[in-house]
Amino acid sequence: MFNPRLVLAAFATVVLAAACRPEPPPPATPEPTGPTPAEIEAQRVADSIAAAEAAKREDERQAQQAQREMEQRARAARETLGEMVYFDYDESVLTSETTDKLRAKLEVLRGCPSVRLRMEGHADERGTSEYNIALGSERAQSVSEFFTGFGLAGARFATVSYGEERPISQGSNEAAWARNRRVEFVITAGGNDLGRCQG
Amino acid sequence: MKRSSSSPRINSRKHRERWSVAHTCLPVLLTVAAPCAAAGQENETAIPGVDLHSVIEERDVPPIAIRPLAVLGEDAGLAREIEGIIARDLDYSDRFRVRDSLPAEFAGEGVQYALWEQFAVDWLVTGTIEPGTGGGLSFAVELHDIVFGSLKAKATFPLPARDHPDFRLAVHSVSDAVAEWVTGERGVAATRIVFRMQAFGETSGREIYIVDFDGENLRRLTWDRSIATSPAWSPDGMRIAYGSFKSGFPLLYELNLDDGQDRLLVPEGRGQPDMPAYHPDGNTIVFAIVGDGPEGLFTYKIRDGCCLKRLDGSRPKDVSPSFSPDGEMLILTSPRLGSATPQVYKQPAGGGDAELVSPYRYGEGGYFTDPDWSPCGDRIAFAGGIGGRRQANRFHILVADVEGGGNRLLQLTREGNNEDPSWASNCRHIVFQGTRSYGSGVFIVDTVTGRTRLLVPNVKAEDPDWSPILAENGVVR
């Protein structure tokens, strides 16, 4: 609460007191002094804490960056491995486009010996469902044989065929069929190592 | 003397009516030229290796009637239901023309043969339903020969109560007995068909379903929310073998229809087993393995739980095996001719050289799959792709003589897409999955008259398999 009368009274008191005070002595020239050993010690501690914290922050930053890079590498490797490959009608022969994709996977697999893959073969709806189980299997196996042909251990690869049972495109036209004639890749082991692998 | 067919007799009748086959261009026979360019079938590309000429096979089927059944101590609705089941069974047998709309004066005691003759029937079924033992029913049936004016046969059948789950199956078996009295050959009404399809209301997966011969009683057998494949009946009609991904990996299972128990059928071996079929002994199954490990056709003794064996002479990608009715031979699909084109082969069941059954013409090999051996042993049904293998997304149902080596073929379908044929135990009817402009479903075709009916409409069913006879003379197995 602001009371103008009280303020006025306080001002008057201050003026009167000043009028009654004697002349003060001139101030002594201050003797120049360095920091005390205690202050130096305190500064040293503070500096070293700051340095440690900075180093820690830098470490964390680097670790985070390394983590990010690892995650990026892992994600990229995962994407490379997971990319589907496609086939011609009633064929399990690898096309050049498919071979390019498989070479990229091969690089990842070479650098990551702990990674295991399951190849899932699929067929389009044409032909009978039982024959298409065999066709899907043959597609998955040509992919498996591509990898083992480059010296990778066969034990790292398993195949399964879904035939025409799991279309990703529902239509009955060439575009849908082309998307359905495929091999999908599932990482069954070593997925956590993907970011740390060489290459 | 037992008449095996009534045709000679009714040919002599002055009121004989020729029952001309529905879709008169069916069936279609290779190497037999006959005038039936009619019907203006859409001119599709031919099936490679199959030269089709049409032949009208006109059949006289005798008219038959069922007099309203008498009911003692039961409601009339029961009698109407039984009449309805039997009338439809006789119609679906493709051996009779069932007369309906009987004049009221034809009911009542006794059979006035002259009256029925004027009504132009050759055969008359009469019957009485009474309460039977154990809460069931007793059904006394008579078959009257109107032409000769005499009682041809009679018998009394036990039936379960109307609300018993086996009631309809038991009534079907009475229809089969009546058909045998007339034709000498038992009907196949007391049978069921198993198949797989996407469950109603679901957007993925395949479950096993079962349906009665007349399309009634559609039931779901598996609830795995997985992909079930290739269901097959055991020879005793009590079990169904099938493949499933329900464990996460494809394996073979057997469902016991009695107690609903499901068991792993082949607990050993590598790779992906699929397409099981029973040997007539009920102990051995044959199936295909694709994938990792040795591929080809394998047998396993399911009762003994042992003896996984790869068949000598089988090759990778041999699929869809099944036994001949004597168990001596196998029929299978294989792309072994070099190109990927699959063909149908027969092979000794113990292993050995395979022999081509489907028609193969060098340089234009067709696409032939899904063979099924007739229970009589003399014929094989399979699906043939229209056009070369590059276009083959539509198939027709074909029947070949085993001895003819694919040179004599019957084409049973002319429309849409048709796959997965399976014979009935009468060696005459075939069930298959079909797609028409109006939708997909399970169809039955008669190989004699070509008459086709829709068993289950509006379902995208696959791999139908026809059961053995499940009930005889009112008694369910």
Side-chain angles (χ1 to χ4, degrees), chain B residues 53-110:
Chain B
H53 302 275
S54 307
V55 61
I56 300 172
E57 190 155 336
E58 224 169 316
R59 284 264 162 166
D60 295 312
V61 294
I64 193 169
I66 303 170
R67 192 174 70 178
L69 302 172
V71 188
L72 301 181
E74 288 284 347
D75 63 305
L78 172 67
R80 299 296 88 77
E81 183 175 358
I82 293 176
E83 283 162 32
I85 293 171
I86 295 177
R88 192 159 63 171
D89 287 347
L90 296 178
D91 176 33
Y92 287 171
S93 78
D94 296 312
R95 294 174 176 279
F96 301 99
R97 195 158 49 82
V98 180
R99 297 297 308 265
D100 206 340
S101 309
L102 305 179
E105 64 267 29
F106 283 23
E109 293 292 302

Side-chain angles (χ1 to χ4, degrees), chain B residues 344 357-359 368-372 380-384 396-400 406 409 420-421 423:
Chain B
V344 171
V357 171
S358 51
F368 299 97
T369 67
D370 287 331
D372 190 49
I380 288 163
F382 50 95
H396 283 313
I397 305 299
L398 303 170
V399 170
L409 281 172
D420 304 328
W423 289 93

Side-chain angles (χ1 to χ4, degrees), chain B residues 28 57 174 232 260 270 273 290 310 320 337 340 344 351-353 363 380 389 438 469 475:
Chain B
V28 182
E57 190 155 336
V174 175
R270 295 179 61 206
V290 299
R310 185 172 185 275
S320 309
L337 269 180
V344 171
D353 291 340
I380 288 163
R389 75 181 181 95
Y438 52 84
I469 298 285
V475 180

Side-chain angles (χ1 to χ4, degrees), chain A residues 88-92 118 125-135 137-138 141 144 157-167 170 172 177, chain B residues 196 206 227 229-230 245 248-250 272 274-275 290-292 295 317 319-320 335 340-342 367 369-370 389-393 395 419 462-463:
Chain A
D88 289 337
Y89 172 63
D90 203 14
E91 288 290 352
S92 53
R118 183 173 71 234
E125 63 176 358
R126 292 175 292 173
T128 52
S129 55
E130 296 189 338
Y131 178 73
N132 278 334
I133 288 283
L135 184 58
S137 176
E138 196 172 66
Q141 284 174 73
S144 180
F157 307 103
T159 64
V160 68
S161 172
Y162 285 97
E164 62 182 72
E165 311 293 331
R166 280 189 170 177
Q170 293 296 337
S172 288
W177 292 329
Chain B
R196 68 191 186 108
R206 297 284 186 281
I227 298 168
T229 61
S230 305
F245 287 76
F249 194 78
Q272 176 170 356
D274 203 350
M275 311 157 208
V290 299
D292 313 323
E295 292 186 304
K317 290 189 80 181
V319 292
S320 309
T341 305
Y367 191 130
T369 67
D370 287 331
R389 75 181 181 95
R390 297 241 151 241
Q391 302 95 47
N393 62 335
F395 293 79
E419 299 178 31
E462 291 172 278
D463 302 332

